[in-house]
Amino acid sequence: MSSMENGAGAAAGAPQGPPHAPERAHPVTLREVAEAAGVSTATVSLVVNKKKDARIAEETRRRVKEAIRTLGYRPNAMAKTLVSGTSKFIGLVADGVATTPFAGQIIHGAQDEAWKHGYALLIANTEGNGELEQDAISMMLEYKVRGILYSTWFHRATDIPAPLREADFVLVNCFSDEPGARAVVPDEVQGGRSATEILLRNGHRRIAFINATIPAPAKDGRLAGYRQALEEAGIPFDPDLVMESYPDQEGGYRATAELLKRDVTAVFCYNDRMAMGLYDGLREHGLAIPEDMAVVGFDNQEVIAAHLRPPLSTVALPHYELGAAGVRMLLGLDAAVDGAAKIQCPAVERNSVQTKARA
């Protein structure tokens, strides 16, 4: 009588789970799998670690796998790491990309590429704190990561932290002159050339370049690209058409008056923030974009470039591809090159450039 009452009570209550997969408050152990399959823990370990050369009958393997599936057993990743000497993690140590909206694409690209090859990404954002950086790298080494991507939020030369030398590593968006240091960086020269070519294709010949005042690979590379594009178009380089200003909105605004003394029809700005300030300055002078002045920026910061009026033609920094290429180089899928591997910066044409009638 009591057993019938128990059965009725169960039927009337909340839905019950599968009879062989009860809810657990703790992870399933190797011993529990062994008991369910009627084998030793050593046999379960051999099956879990896919030791194909182990002499285990197919029926026994089947029972172990069924017990694993039914109980929901998950192997101890750290234990497997200790045995193999490596893990399915790739580390990424960054000084600020996680808090920089457009540069955060480095993480996105690295994460997607790592996952594609069966790895997960361990991310440490240090905000430039040297002690935190050392601790983050040490922790990743303890986890025996496959390797570490070391990234900076803007393209620059960097010193290699001492603990990083203990790992297989690739520098992302930064570089070192140290022999053997692998790196992936934006192709600033190609980017500067592409920005200038947007204006050249639309018939402009008097093209100014407002460069940054702050020394950086981007400053030198974008100027070199500007000069290359002019040379290829048969236009002599005029140093009077190259100006410098602080690379932000206020810097672009302040450069407007000097720009208008140069008798140009088009301008290439070092970055999108500078172009945004130039928009304000040109309008204060009663000039329209692109009718009176064609403008091209650099970076393709979507929150700026796509929402200016008119939307800004620019060149994108390839942050997503930098992250993905870093993972491929780390895994040996992309060959290392002498120096840093350069990733192309694609042109993004919008409505801030209008075809100029040739004289």
Side-chain angles (χ1 to χ4, degrees), residues 40-224:
S40 69
T41 55
T43 298
V44 175
S45 179
L46 290 171
V47 173
V48 166
N49 289 296
K50 299 179 180 178
K51 301 292 185 180
K52 295 183 179 179
D53 55 346
R55 294 182 178 179
I56 302 173
E58 283 304 314
E59 171 59 23
T60 302
R61 285 185 187 271
R62 187 198 64 74
R63 290 205 317 274
V64 171
K65 290 178 180 178
E66 177 64 18
I68 288 171
R69 186 192 65 77
T70 302
L71 296 175
Y73 172 73
R74 293 180 183 275
N76 185 321
M78 285 308 297
K80 292 180 71 175
T81 292
L82 291 173
V83 172
S84 66
T86 188
S87 72
K88 300 301 285 184
F89 291 113
I90 290 173
L92 189 152
V93 177
D95 69 356
V97 297
T99 52
T100 308
F102 67 101
Q105 286 293 310
I106 288 176
I107 293 175
H108 191 187
Q111 186 169 267
D112 284 355
E113 192 69 23
W115 191 253
K116 186 187 301 182
H117 300 290
Y119 289 86
L121 207 61
L122 291 178
I123 303 166
N125 185 47
T126 67
E127 296 296 338
N129 182 313
E131 185 176 347
L132 179 58
E133 179 178 270
Q134 300 267 336
D135 289 344
I137 295 172
S138 296
M139 179 272 291
M140 291 176 181
L141 292 174
E142 289 173 11
Y143 272 83
K144 299 185 181 297
V145 293
R146 169 61 182 78
I148 298 175
L149 305 181
Y150 182 84
S151 182
T152 56
W153 77 269
F154 72 94
H155 179 193
R156 62 178 175 84
T158 190
D159 295 323
I160 299 173
L164 195 61
R165 302 173 195 276
E166 298 178 40
D168 191 12
F169 69 89
V170 171
L171 306 176
V172 177
N173 206 35
C174 54
F175 61 94
S176 169
D177 293 330
E178 191 171 305
R182 295 177 297 169
V184 289
V185 298
D187 191 338
E188 304 283 6
V189 176
Q190 169 269 316
R193 186 171 63 247
S194 292
T196 310
E197 286 171 349
I198 293 173
L199 298 166
L200 291 168
R201 279 198 304 272
N202 284 277
H204 295 276
R205 293 296 177 267
R206 292 281 296 175
I207 301 170
F209 176 39
I210 307 178
N211 207 351
T213 52
I214 301 171
K219 176 182 179 180
D220 298 336
R222 294 172 196 183
L223 174 60

